[in-house]
């Protein structure tokens, strides 16, 4: 009757000592609660994904020493299963270790190495060629790592008939992913007849958010217990030895999709800021819906004392926008400074007029760049990380200014389409307090960049409820323009949107990272050449 | 006695029709010159590397149609060997086709797929599992693609005893690469006893430059003929059927290293600008050595009529700097506009002083960002691509301002260490006309960003002849700080430089692409997490 703890930990990439200290603490807690073993996520020693750090031999060496240190520190507690980078004369391995009594008793090498989407594991690792069985509290268990479970081949093919399979993960979030995970685990459970203990990481790492949701999958394909989502959790599982029911000490709810996305954005923003050593953030709050949502996310992530905003009206800014920004800042309890940019605009005019560069697009971008420059000055002077406020629809079609509204260290809603921005605002307001942090007018007024008189987004772009589905089909589904038209969209609009998306690749290449929440985010998920004449 | 042409072509990624048209034209030329066959580079149909374009099914479909179109168009001329993306029910292949009489007679699938450095071929392609023999002008030949030749395994292991092996390439340049290529080809020639016809691409594609240098390697390991470097070339090779000497209609010199790097920078800059549809470039010419070198490269790449520069003195700029910028612009025959930025500085001061953000680092970065903003306004107004002027030493240690001097669509010398900047300037001046385009004082004065009174680079950084070797060891050689110290560098300096490099990762992530000229450039060559506490 083994008792096994699922240690859903928030590690930090490269923080070998910190990760080991935290695993040690949790192992002692689990042992105190009577656990025979505790299971930690994929590459928990190094944090995931360590990327090119693993190409440094001393990083692998130090990680192996950290694994030994964990074994020593937990020798008198209980068994530990954790992820680490292993190496031998053939190469490096994404590996799982079984620690007991101060020793590394078993090593398993991940067989299925993902090399698509955000994953580059073939760049680093050699695939394992067989499974590895261990015994936990008298029960035989097979070890596996993340992608292994997404295939019916190695090592699961060797585990048929085993009572138990441990699957340790660093599985990044996107909306809909939780259901996909359950489906593949169900398929593996039904194939093997085993209980599957699925342990995921939690926390943000650059563009990725690991959402937790560790779970116990029964041999009949039923989830019998689930750890928290978007936070650390230690889930205790009592097994009956293999054939009867398992029980967990608690189980967490699966949030509805809008809440799920919102919590991913909050966690991703908090961890990017904190893990990079920042205490505060600063952003430009225009009174528009995007910057308002970013201010709210930042405040939920870091607290109102850690967020400051600048409102920088120009002659094209409406009084309503400034009033909305002030209202929002008041509701959130964050510091707002009003910094009119007319003086800067006039000074540039003197320089740019003789060069013929003071009108049109140049003049519009200029305002955005003045705001970006002031924001960066505040960031430089205060040590606050600047946040960029653009959404996915804007990044897609290039409706954003390089070095202007794209300026910042992190772009929280970069992967959130505009239509979802509205849904998130409505959801967040419904959580209160009172009528919520977002003034109603911010949600109801027509979107505008306010860079020229009377400007509306729809002057340049199709309405977002038409634009966003086209972007999704082109970017996330890799459909061709013809296929999108065949799906019922207007041919002229599709052609225009696709051309805008292709042409904006150079801007996106210089964008700050943001939280991936869709199946295909801009960034390392989507690697298109800038120089590209297709489809011509 | 086959006559075979090596068609060292400059293709454009995604320009399927254009690439086919050019291959057709060259095939007719080769046939007119009596060739039995012409060989084009790796993935010449699509351009290389097409990156995630190949994940779009219609791109692969259109590429296959383009291959058929090439077969049809060259039916009456001579055989064609060219690279394309193949597909079947198992996946996609990096492939070579043998075209004859309007038909695709043979398809070879690359066996060795590089997935390191700048390469992601396992992301896209399934490896081939065997070689493919064809007959050209009565001589049997084995087909191979690029990385295949860097291994002694498949398909070369099947080609022992064949008279001829064709190796088509998209092999990107870095300094020293030419010698490496000769070494591996020599090894394959000696192992197989075959003549190897090595065809490389030429031209720039985003960060990469393909340097050409196609060659004929004899079975005894001697290079008997070489195509031009850094330009298109059609090299005619007369084979004797296998056992005797081959001859080429011409052979090109292998430039000395400084010239080689300079030509790579010129080609990479020209192709990035032109293939992205730009006619002109604009940059800020400070009178310092970096921006001067970029102005000279741009002028050599595009001609003086296509280059305009801005000199934007502040109160900290020395009169000598402006005089040097004016002198350089005069020597190059390019348009210079002088735009003092005192007005902008004063206007920002009004906004930033009350926020406590008008001094120190914020004030220094502000000047760089004003210059970046004016440059971008000129770019927006004129359609000229802005060029960033930073060098590799600066990008490494973060001695550069985001949205300031890092602003621009392309950063020509981003991978050039400062010490090499000096060498390149000396080499370029020696080419003339006269004493060359670079004023002597630009080379002799101590480097300074001129962002505060009396500032010198050495106030913040070690001298470049100390800094650059540390950067090279840490970035390109992946050595640890301890190993660098063991190689004879001062421990305190190494610790400081390594920390600076690690901390500047977030800036580099937002940098424009530039020409890769070292074995490891910043960009897709080096994929480090931003969030990273190693070594702590």
């Amino acid at each position: 009757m083994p008792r096994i703890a699922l240690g859903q930990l928030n590690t930090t990439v490269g923080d070998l000592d910190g990760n080991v200290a935290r695993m040690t603490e949790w192992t002692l807690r689990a042992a105190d609660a009577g656990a025979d073993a505790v299971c930690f996520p994929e590459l928990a020693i190094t944090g995931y994904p360590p990327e090119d750090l693993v190409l440094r031999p001393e990083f692998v060496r130090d990680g192996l020493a950290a694994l030994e240190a964990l074994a020593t520190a937990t020798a008198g507690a209980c068994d530990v299963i954790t992820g680490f980078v292993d190496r031998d004369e053939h190469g490096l391995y994404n590996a799982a270790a079984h620690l007991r009594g101060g020793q590394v008793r078993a090593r398993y090498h991940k067989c299925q190495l993902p090399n698509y989407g955000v994953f580059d594991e073939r760049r680093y690792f050699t695939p394992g060629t067989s499974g590895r069985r261990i015994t936990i509290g008298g029960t035989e268990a097979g070890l596996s790592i993340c992608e292994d479970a997404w295939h019916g081949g190695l090592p699961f093919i060797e585990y048929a008939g085993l009572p138990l399979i441990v699957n340790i993960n660093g599985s990044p979030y996107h909306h809909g992913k939780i259901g996909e995970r359950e489906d593949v685990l169900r398929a593996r459970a039904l194939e093997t007849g085993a209980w599957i203990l699925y342990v995921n990481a939690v926390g943000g790492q650059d563009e990725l958010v690991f959402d937790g949701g560790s779970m116990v999958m029964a041999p009949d394909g039923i989830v019998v217990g689930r750890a928290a989502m978007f936070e650390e959790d230690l889930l205790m599982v009592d097994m009956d030895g293999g054939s009867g029911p398992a029980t967990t000490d608690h189980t967490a709810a699966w949030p509805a999709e809008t809440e799920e996305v919102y919590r991913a954005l909050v966690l991703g923003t908090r961890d990017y800021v904190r893990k990079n050593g920042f205490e505060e953030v600063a952003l430009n709050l225009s009174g528009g819906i995007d910057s308002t949502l970013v201010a709210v996310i930042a405040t939920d992530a870091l607290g109102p004392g850690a967020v400051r905003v600048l409102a920088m009206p120009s002659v094209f800014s409406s009084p309503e926008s400034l009033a909305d920004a002030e209202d929002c800042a008041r509701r959130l309890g964050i510091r707002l400074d009003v910094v009119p940019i007319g003086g800067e605009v006039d000074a540039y005019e003197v320089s740019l007029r003789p060069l013929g560069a003071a009108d049109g697009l140049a003049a519009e971008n200029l305002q955005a760049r003045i705001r970006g420059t002031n924001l960066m000055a505040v960031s430089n002077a205060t040590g606050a990380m600047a946040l960029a406020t653009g959404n996915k629809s804007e990044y897609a079609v290039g409706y954003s200014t390089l070095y202007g509204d794209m300026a910042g260290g992190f772009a929280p809603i970069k992967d959130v389409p505009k239509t979802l921005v509205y849904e998130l605002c409505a959801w967040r307001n419904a959580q209160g307090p009172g009528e919520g942090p977002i003034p109603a007018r911010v949600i109801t007024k027509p979107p505008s960049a306010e860079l020229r008189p009377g400007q509306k987004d729809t002057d340049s772009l199709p309405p977002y409820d038409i634009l966003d589905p086209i972007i999704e089909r082109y970017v996330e589904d890799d459909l061709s323009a013809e296929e999108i038209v065949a799906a019922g969209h207007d041919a002229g609009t599709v052609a225009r949107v696709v051309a805008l998306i292709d042409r904006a690749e150079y801007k996106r290449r210089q964008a700050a990272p943001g939280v991936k929440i869709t199946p295909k985010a801009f960034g390392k998920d989507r690697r298109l050449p800038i120089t590209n004449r297709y489809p011509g």
Side-chain angles (χ1 to χ4, degrees), chain A:
Chain A
M1 300 271 285
R3 171 173 286 189
I4 302 174
L6 307 190
Q8 180 174 296
L9 205 66
N10 189 342
T11 59
T12 297
V13 165
D15 188 11
L16 306 174
D17 294 344
N19 296 339
V20 165
R22 205 150 172 74
M23 281 188 271
T24 301
E25 182 197 323
W26 283 41
T27 302
L28 301 183
R29 264 175 64 195
D32 281 349
D36 297 288
V38 57
C39 306
F40 293 115
E42 181 176 16
L43 297 192
I45 294 280
T46 58
Y48 183 85
E51 302 188 76
D52 280 9
L53 286 172
V54 303
L55 300 181
R56 296 195 190 151
E58 82 275 16
F59 180 75
V60 177
R61 177 200 67 198
D62 291 349
L64 288 166
L67 179 71
E68 296 289 342
L70 177 62
T72 302
T74 58
C78 66
D79 288 14
V80 175
I81 292 153
T82 193
F84 73 110
V85 177
D86 202 5
R87 70 173 162 202
D88 67 14
E89 65 279 18
H90 303 297
L92 302 174
Y93 303 90
N94 182 333
H98 176 212
L99 312 180
R100 178 183 292 166
Q103 305 288 321
V104 180
R105 296 298 182 102
R107 291 159 189 255
Y108 164 73
H109 295 161
K110 188 178 186 180
C111 296
Q112 308 289 342
L113 299 174
N115 207 64
Y116 56 82
V118 299
F119 302 108
D120 282 307
E121 294 201 13
R122 298 294 300 241
R123 179 174 173 90
Y124 309 110
F125 301 121
T126 302
T129 54
S130 65
R132 186 71 170 86
R133 297 169 182 221
I134 62 171
T135 302
I136 308 174
T139 295
E140 197 174 14
L143 295 178
S144 69
I145 303 176
C146 202
E147 188 82 3
D148 286 336
W150 294 68
H151 301 265
L154 281 173
F156 278 76
I157 206 164
E158 295 184 2
Y159 292 159
L162 274 187
L164 187 64
I165 298 169
V166 174
N167 184 239
I168 66 173
N169 291 264
S171 178
Y173 172 76
H174 62 73
H175 65 69
K177 185 79 169 279
I178 304 169
E180 294 172 29
R181 277 186 207 132
E182 282 198 14
D183 289 345
V184 297
L185 289 178
R186 182 170 298 116
R188 297 296 89 75
L190 294 171
E191 283 164 15
T192 57
W195 289 87
I196 301 178
L197 300 184
Y198 175 96
V199 194
N200 196 12
V202 72
Q205 171 60 29
D206 289 353
E207 297 176 321
L208 304 181
V209 165
F210 302 95
D211 50 330
S214 300
M215 59 184 142
V216 180
M217 175 66 72
D220 61 359
I222 304 296
V223 176
V224 302
R226 190 193 303 275
M229 295 205 61
F230 303 108
E231 42 190 84
E232 289 190 320
D233 198 5
L234 185 69
L235 185 72
M236 300 296 292
V237 188
D238 282 299
M239 310 294 305
D240 81 331
S243 55
T247 54
T248 59
D249 66 336
H250 65 281
T251 193
W254 179 352
E257 187 171 335
T258 310
E259 177 183 350
E260 193 188 286
V261 170
Y262 190 84
R263 292 179 66 187
L265 297 172
V266 169
L267 177 57
T269 301
R270 180 193 300 135
D271 275 6
Y272 190 84
V273 171
R274 295 237 177 109
K275 289 183 179 179
N276 279 295
F278 287 78
E279 308 278 336
E280 296 183 350
V281 297
L283 62 118
N284 290 340
L285 186 63
S286 69
I289 194 162
D290 298 309
S291 59
T292 300
L293 178 59
V294 172
V296 175
I297 289 168
T299 305
D300 285 345
L302 302 163
V307 182
R308 66 183 289 177
V309 296
L310 304 175
M312 294 198 241
S314 78
V315 293
F316 305 123
S317 306
S318 66
E320 291 77 16
S321 289
L322 182 57
D324 290 342
E326 288 173 327
D327 186 6
C328 176
R330 195 164 44 237
R331 295 179 191 212
L332 291 171
I334 59 177
R335 172 175 170 179
L336 173 128
D337 290 285
V338 179
V339 184
I341 60 168
E344 289 91 327
V345 171
D346 292 346
Y348 278 109
E349 165 92 17
V350 171
S351 293
L352 294 172
R353 177 69 54 201
L355 301 175
D359 300 302
L361 178 65
E364 292 186 34
N365 283 335
L366 176 63
Q367 298 164 65
R369 293 196 176 109
I370 291 169
R371 294 185 176 113
T373 298
N374 276 323
L375 175 63
M376 291 306 295
V378 169
S379 171
N380 286 157
T382 66
M385 180 185 288
L387 298 182
T389 59
N391 62 58
K392 187 172 195 172
S393 310
E394 293 172 354
Y395 279 87
V397 297
Y399 197 71
S400 56
T401 301
L402 263 179
Y403 325 132
D405 51 299
M406 290 177 72
F410 199 65
I413 62 169
K414 177 186 181 184
D415 197 34
V416 181
K418 185 82 168 193
T419 45
L420 183 53
V421 168
Y422 283 98
E423 288 173 39
L424 289 165
C425 286
W427 177 85
R428 180 61 188 81
N429 262 3
Q431 313 311 305
E435 60 182 19
I438 302 161
R441 188 167 57 191
V442 170
I443 300 177
T444 54
K445 67 187 171 188
S448 167
E450 298 193 332
L451 296 173
R452 61 172 186 263
Q455 185 178 30
K456 297 277 175 293
D457 288 10
T458 47
D459 300 345
S460 314
L461 300 175
Y464 287 107
D465 58 348
I466 290 176
L467 178 64
D468 282 354
I470 296 173
I471 293 171
E472 183 177 344
R473 287 181 157 93
Y474 189 65
V475 173
E476 294 175 30
D477 302 339
D478 270 329
L479 294 186
S480 66
E482 305 101 85
E483 290 167 316
I484 299 171
V485 173
H489 294 274
D490 174 69
T493 307
V494 169
R496 193 167 131 241
V497 170
V498 161
L500 288 171
I501 295 173
D502 288 346
R503 225 177 289 150
E505 187 58 33
Y506 79 99
K507 286 192 189 179
R508 288 188 291 268
R509 200 64 67 89
Q510 296 189 38
V515 186
K516 168 181 162 74
I517 59 121
T518 71
K520 192 179 288 196
F522 297 123
K524 65 180 177 173
D525 225 359
R526 185 174 185 269
R527 306 179 189 176
L528 285 170
I530 297 176
T531 307
N532 167 29
R533 296 219 179 130
Y534 185 81

